[in-house]
Amino acid sequence: MNEGDRTTHERGATDPAPAGGGSPSRGTARSTVRGALSYGSDEAPSAGGGSATARTADGQSLVYGADEAPSANGGSASRASGKATPPDPGPPSYGSDFLQLDAGDASGSGKADWLARRLRQAIADGRLAVGSRLPPTRVLAGELRVSRGVVTEAYRRLTEDGHVEGRRRGGTVVVAAPALPPSASPTGHARAADGAGPGTLFAGEPGAEVFEALRAVRARVDFTPGQPDLASFPRTAWLRAERAVLTDLSAEQLGYGDPRGAPQLRHAVAGWLASSRGIRVEPHEVLIVAGTAQALTLLHPVLRAAGIDSIAVEDPGSLGTRQHLRNGALDTPPVPVDDDGVRVDALRATGARAALLTPAHQFPTGVVMSGERRRDLLRWAEDGGLIVEDDYDAEHRYDRPPVPALRALLADQVCYAGSVSKLLAPALRIGWLVPPPRYRDALIEAKRFTDLGNAVLPQLVLARLMDSGDLERHLRLLRGRHRRRRDAMIDAIARHLPGATVHGAAAGLHLTVTYEPHVPDTELAAAALARGVKCQPLSWHRQLPGRPGLVLGYAATPPGAIAEGVAALGEALRTLT
C-alpha cells in the first residue's frame, strides 16, 4: 500500500475472540480512507504480502499490515511478531458504498458506458474531486461483480477525455472535471462564494475580492490564467530534498533566520538567474520574499519615501498588480501596449518616474518587447526612470528563443522580481527581489519589520532542488506538457471560435483571445461560467478602451477538458450574438 493511500491504524482495547474461531486480535483497527480508495495501485493486496482490507459483520473496515494479513481459510495468520488477527470475512464489498454504484442499473451490453457515465457525473458534481484516486480496477470489478474489462474500459474512456490519469503505483487519479451544461449540476448553474452567481460576479468594476470570489466558484473546466499544473508538482523530488535538508539541519538553523532569506537559497537563486535569465548578481543582492505580491507591498513605502507617488502600468496589464499598487496609495497611469511592447512615448507622456512592466512575456497579450523598444525604454530609465520588472513566467517558452531580462542590461535602474508560483506552486509563497543598490537597505528593513523573513525550511528545500538540478528537470517536463496543452487549446479555438484571434501563444501559461462580435467580454465570461467554464474577461485588465476578449489559462487543464471548455465558450458566444 502506498503511503498516500494508506489507512490510519488505531489500536484500542483488546477485542474478544471472533465468533468463528481463530485467535483474538490485539486491537481494533479502524480505517480512515482518503477519498474513496483503500489502495494506491491497481492490484488488490493479497493475504501473503502488502496490506489487506476486510469488513466485519457490521460493515466496519479493518486494515491489516503485511504481518497481520488474514489467512484464506478463515482463520488468522500470524507472523514472527506473534500478532493475531480476526478471521477473513470474505472480499470487501464497497460497491454499495463507492458512489452507491449498482451494476444492476446497467444494461447487459452497456456496463462500461454506464460506469463511465456514472464516474463522469461524480467528477462533475464534486463527489470525486480533482486529486481523488479511483479504486483499482480489480477491486471495483469484484465489488460490482462485473468483469475487470468493464472497469478498465470505463477508466480508459475517462483517460481519453482527460478527466483521469494513470500514475503507475499511484493509481488512477482524477485530474479534471468535465464541462457539463447548467442543467447537469444539482442547482442548475454555477455558484460563487456568498451566493454570487455568474452574472453578479462579472457585473460592474471588479473589486479587490474578485479573484477570491472567482476561485470559490465550482467550475467544470478552469481556464484561470497564471495557474500552473499543480497536479505535476514534483512531490518525490521535494520529499527527497526535504529529507536531505532535515538530515543535515543543525539545531541552530531552526531558530530565527536572516530576514534577507536563507543564505543557501540566495546563493541558489543567484545561480538560477545567471543561467536562466542572464542576470549576474551576487547572493547578498537577492532578497527572498513571499512572492511578487509581497515584493510590491515592500516597495510601496520605499518608493513613496523616494518621492515616487505613481507607477505607470501596461494597458492591458494585470488587474491584480494594479490593485496591489493602488492599495499602497500609488497611482497607476496606463500606458498602451502594441505588438512591440509598451509604448515608451506614451510612458514619457505620463510623467511617471517609475513603471511596472512584463517585458519578457507581457501580461496578458503575450507580446515580447522588441529590441528597438527595449533600447528606447532603457534610455528612459537612464534619464532617471525606475523599471520594476515582473518576470512572472519567463521560464515557460516553447516556440521562441529566450530573451534576456532588463535587469541584465541596466542593473542600477531595474528592480527585478520573480517567484516559483508559476514554476512550482503559488502555495509555497517564495519569490525574490533584486533591487537597485540605492533601495536595497530600505527594502531589507521593510522585510525585517514585516515578518522577520520567510519560513526557513521551505527555502532550504527549494535551494536543494535548484542546486541538484531537479528544478531544471521539472521545468523541462513542464515545457513539453504545456506545449501539448497549448496546441490543444489553439486547435479547439480554431474549431469552436472561428474568426477569433489568438495572442501570446509562443510562451507562458495562458492565451488571450479577442473576437469580432460586439459582445461585452464580461457577458461572455458570465455565460461561460454558467456553462461550467471559468475564465477572465480581458476588460478586467484594461483601463483604456479596447477589443473584447478572454484570458484563458491552459497549463492546469488536460487536452480533453480544454476541448470541452473551448466548445462551451463557442456555444456561449453563439447564444449572445
Side-chain angles (χ1 to χ4, degrees), residues 159-252:
T159 300
E160 290 181 348
D161 292 343
H163 304 320
V164 303
E165 182 179 274
R167 294 185 178 172
R168 297 183 182 178
R169 296 182 64 84
T172 303
V173 181
V174 178
V175 295
L180 296 180
S183 59
S185 69
T187 60
H189 58 79
R191 293 187 299 171
D194 301 325
T200 58
L201 183 62
F202 295 103
E205 289 296 319
E209 76 292 338
V210 69
F211 294 114
E212 287 81 1
L214 187 58
R215 279 196 293 269
V217 178
R218 181 191 296 177
R220 317 305 182 199
V221 178
D222 190 350
F223 287 153
T224 299
Q227 187 166 276
D229 182 12
L230 301 178
S232 67
F233 182 86
R235 296 170 186 258
T236 300
W238 185 272
L239 287 171
R240 182 170 58 244
E242 191 168 51
R243 283 193 295 268
V245 165
L246 289 172
T247 298
D248 298 338
L249 196 69
S250 66
E252 291 77 11

Side-chain angles (χ1 to χ4, degrees), residues 272 395-396 423 471-479:
W272 178 266
E395 300 94 348
H396 301 285
L423 185 56
L471 189 61
E472 177 63 31
R473 284 187 285 274
H474 177 65
L475 175 58
R476 287 198 295 269
L477 180 149
L478 288 182
R479 281 176 178 161

Side-chain angles (χ1 to χ4, degrees), residues 112-177:
D113 181 68
W114 161 81
L115 181 57
R117 188 171 61 253
R118 290 292 302 273
L119 293 175
R120 190 178 292 110
Q121 181 63 44
I123 296 171
D125 64 26
R127 286 176 291 159
L128 285 176
V130 172
S132 300
R133 288 178 173 82
L134 299 181
T137 56
R138 190 189 304 276
V139 173
L140 187 56
E143 292 166 357
L144 295 177
R145 293 180 172 83
V146 299
S147 71
R148 191 179 182 189
V150 167
V151 182
T152 301
E153 173 63 16
Y155 284 14
R156 184 189 67 78
R157 295 183 187 183
L158 294 175
T159 300
E160 290 181 348
D161 292 343
H163 304 320
V164 303
E165 182 179 274
R167 294 185 178 172
R168 297 183 182 178
R169 296 182 64 84
T172 303
V173 181
V174 178
V175 295

Side-chain angles (χ1 to χ4, degrees), residues 276-279 314 338-345 347-348 357-362 366-383 385 387 389-392 394 397 400-410 413-414 416:
S276 65
R277 303 299 299 124
I279 300 174
E314 300 160 324
D338 60 21
D339 291 341
D340 290 322
V342 68
R343 285 180 45 192
V344 182
D345 60 333
L347 172 59
R348 288 193 176 95
L357 308 175
T358 53
H361 184 239
Q362 199 275 332
V367 169
V368 178
M369 187 176 290
S370 68
E372 182 178 352
R373 195 65 59 83
R374 281 172 169 251
R375 288 188 290 272
D376 197 10
L377 178 64
L378 293 178
R379 284 193 292 269
W380 171 83
E382 288 172 343
D383 292 337
I387 299 170
E389 182 177 15
D390 183 2
D391 208 27
Y392 68 103
R397 52 181 176 78
R400 62 166 174 79
V403 293
L406 293 177
R407 181 60 170 71
L409 306 175
L410 191 64
Q413 297 302 124
V414 178
Y416 178 90

Side-chain angles (χ1 to χ4, degrees), residues 492-500 515 517 570 573-574:
I493 290 170
R495 289 197 307 273
H496 302 292
L497 290 170
Y515 54 88
L573 183 58
R574 286 190 295 273

Side-chain angles (χ1 to χ4, degrees), residues 29 91 109 120 171 213 215 268 274 296 317 339 390 401 422-423 435 514 531 540 561:
S109 60
R120 190 178 292 110
R215 279 196 293 269
L296 296 178
D339 291 341
D390 183 2
K422 308 297 186 291
L423 185 56
T514 55
R531 287 166 171 77
W540 272 10

Side-chain angles (χ1 to χ4, degrees), residues 339-491:
D339 291 341
D340 290 322
V342 68
R343 285 180 45 192
V344 182
D345 60 333
L347 172 59
R348 288 193 176 95
T350 66
R353 295 172 51 197
L356 193 149
L357 308 175
T358 53
H361 184 239
Q362 199 275 332
F363 183 88
T365 68
V367 169
V368 178
M369 187 176 290
S370 68
E372 182 178 352
R373 195 65 59 83
R374 281 172 169 251
R375 288 188 290 272
D376 197 10
L377 178 64
L378 293 178
R379 284 193 292 269
W380 171 83
E382 288 172 343
D383 292 337
L386 173 69
I387 299 170
V388 180
E389 182 177 15
D390 183 2
D391 208 27
Y392 68 103
D393 70 352
E395 300 94 348
H396 301 285
R397 52 181 176 78
Y398 318 115
D399 302 329
R400 62 166 174 79
V403 293
L406 293 177
R407 181 60 170 71
L409 306 175
L410 191 64
D412 289 343
Q413 297 302 124
V414 178
C415 185
Y416 178 90
S419 78
V420 295
S421 294
K422 308 297 186 291
L423 185 56
L424 289 173
L428 293 177
R429 308 311 305 140
I430 299 179
W432 41 84
L433 189 62
V434 184
R438 66 183 182 278
Y439 295 123
R440 189 180 306 137
D441 290 343
L443 286 166
I444 293 172
E445 194 78 355
K447 177 65 174 172
R448 176 181 292 112
F449 288 113
T450 296
D451 55 17
L452 293 179
N454 285 32
V456 174
L457 284 177
Q459 292 185 66
L460 298 178
V461 176
L462 178 58
R464 196 164 191 107
L465 283 180
M466 287 179 163
D467 291 339
S468 67
D470 281 337
L471 189 61
E472 177 63 31
R473 284 187 285 274
H474 177 65
L475 175 58
R476 287 198 295 269
L477 180 149
L478 288 182
R479 281 176 178 161
R481 178 173 296 183
H482 292 167
R483 182 184 291 110
R484 291 189 293 273
R485 294 180 177 187
R486 180 213 52 184
D487 293 345
M489 178 167 278
I490 292 175
D491 290 344

